[in-house]
Amino acid sequence: MHQEHVRLNDKIIEIDSPVDMGNCIRRQGEDAAQGSLLLRAGTLIGAREIGAIASVGRARIPVFRKVRIALFCTGSELRQPGEDLAPGQIYNSNRFIMIAALRQPWIDLIDLGAINDDPVQLRNALTDIASDVDMIVTTGGVSVGEEDHMVSQLQEAGGRIEVMKIAMKPGKPLSVGTLNRAVFVGLPGNPVAAFTTWKLIGHRIAEKLAGKALADRPVMHVEVLEGFSRRPGRQEFRPVKIAGVSLDGRPQVEMLDQSFSAKISLICRSDGFAIIPANMDQVNAGDRLEFVRL
């Protein structure tokens, strides 16, 4: 019988290659030395991390509990997929965008559905849930229309608004505040604006509340294929599609529709956002922009 470099001949083993001193030996502490850092605080525990914890004999470790987030969408015009639409009504895509975005192993989601643009209903929803969650996320009702009641009703409920309107496109009406111990994040009602502001801002707030270590996002640059003019004043996150590669190996992007905050199908066709600085009024072919992959 032959096994690796050892041959068994009756009751005698024959080694058919030289034996080097220390070869094929697992030394104590070679994987993780005593006193070394195995996992940083805020690390999300997955299969690899569980294996590392078990390998050093730890039966228990302290962890953060899941962050509790309540979600509801505002709008008397909203209907659920599968229902019939009357004139002036739309399907509630925001609810399902956000449920999918919030379906994370470190989030305990409470879905409150849709609430009409009624001040009393909105205020009651806020006060009923605020003491039970770490974060309240809403979509719609944070702009300046007659039926935009979220900011005023948060304040009526005893909450505070810390941020109201930001210089970004899409997502200008984003509002951030607090109610009791809960952080309030009021996302815009347009689907792309809600998705973008959640991905870039809301998600990071939720990670912080959950105790997660915030990883640096790698910066990637892309090259613009065709130039265009724009109104300066807000940092813009424009949906783009990668359409080629430059001679130096940089991705080249095609800018999609300039008016896009309500067009959810547009970001389904995009590969990410090109970031246009707030002071830039002219983007030329060949310009390099930062890129956030979806």
Side-chain angles (χ1 to χ4, degrees):
M1 183 178 67
H2 189 277
Q3 187 171 357
E4 294 190 4
H5 299 291
V6 177
R7 183 183 298 107
L8 178 62
N9 186 3
D10 197 9
K11 295 183 179 181
I12 299 173
I13 60 171
E14 299 173 354
I15 301 174
D16 58 14
S17 66
V19 179
D20 298 325
M21 180 71 72
N23 192 28
C24 299
I25 294 176
R26 294 281 185 261
R27 297 191 179 277
Q28 186 177 14
E30 68 178 10
D31 183 16
Q34 187 172 4
S36 65
L37 180 64
L38 187 65
L39 298 170
R40 294 188 179 278
T43 299
L44 185 64
I45 303 299
R48 295 174 299 174
E49 292 75 18
I50 287 174
I53 295 165
S55 74
V56 295
R58 291 295 298 270
R60 294 177 178 271
I61 59 167
V63 296
F64 290 93
R65 65 167 174 80
K66 292 183 178 184
V67 61
R68 300 194 75 201
I69 299 179
L71 167 71
F72 65 87
C73 304
T74 72
S76 302
E77 77 281 9
L78 299 177
R79 291 297 178 268
Q80 298 305 302
E83 295 179 349
D84 293 331
L85 291 181
Q89 295 179 338
I90 59 173
Y91 290 120
N92 186 2
S93 60
N94 279 341
R95 180 187 180 196
F96 299 96
I97 291 170
M98 292 308 303
I99 287 174
L102 289 164
R103 191 174 288 135
Q104 303 289 336
W106 46 274
I107 291 176
D108 180 12
L109 174 62
I110 301 172
D111 173 28
L112 300 178
I115 298 177
N116 290 333
D117 292 316
D118 175 84
V120 175
Q121 290 186 41
L122 294 171
R123 184 170 66 250
N124 288 343
L126 289 168
T127 55
D128 288 347
I129 199 65
S131 59
D132 297 327
V133 297
D134 305 295
M135 188 175 188
I136 302 169
V137 179
T138 67
T139 67
V142 291
S143 192
V144 293
E146 292 182 2
E147 297 298 334
D148 290 324
H149 304 298
M150 282 308 307
V151 170
S152 63
Q153 293 313 304
L154 181 85
Q155 293 169 329
E156 287 287 331
R160 293 177 55 186
I161 290 292
E162 307 292 346
V163 175
M164 186 175 176
K165 298 183 181 179
I166 55 176
M168 70 177 284
K169 179 182 178 180
K172 180 181 177 181
L174 175 74
S175 298
V176 179
T178 56
L179 178 60
N180 294 347
R181 67 181 189 88
V183 174
F184 169 78
V185 177
L187 304 174
N190 282 324
V192 178
F195 173 80
T196 306
T197 49
W198 173 258
K199 181 176 177 65
L200 298 175
I201 298 173
H203 182 86
R204 302 288 272 185
I205 297 173
E207 285 184 312
K208 188 68 175 178
L209 291 174
K212 282 191 66 185
L214 301 182
D216 293 332
R217 288 176 172 164
V219 176
M220 179 180 175
H221 288 85
V222 294
E223 186 176 290
V224 177
L225 276 175
E226 295 183 10
F228 59 94
S229 300
R230 64 181 292 273
R231 180 184 297 175
R234 288 192 284 166
Q235 187 179 49
E236 183 175 346
F237 295 80
R238 178 78 69 89
V240 296
K241 186 172 183 60
I242 295 176
V245 180
S246 67
L247 292 177
D248 61 357
R250 195 177 305 279
Q252 296 174 312
V253 295
E254 171 192 351
M255 296 284 176
L256 301 182
D257 195 342
Q258 186 171 358
S259 176
F260 57 88
S261 65
K263 299 177 181 177
I264 193 66
S265 63
L266 198 67
I267 59 172
C268 293
R269 301 200 308 270
S270 70
D271 296 304
F273 297 114
I275 304 175
I276 306 173
N279 61 353
M280 183 177 282
D281 60 357
Q282 179 66 41
V283 179
N284 300 308
D287 282 351
R288 294 177 179 178
L289 299 174
E290 288 188 20
F291 175 78
V292 176
R293 185 174 290 278
L294 292 178

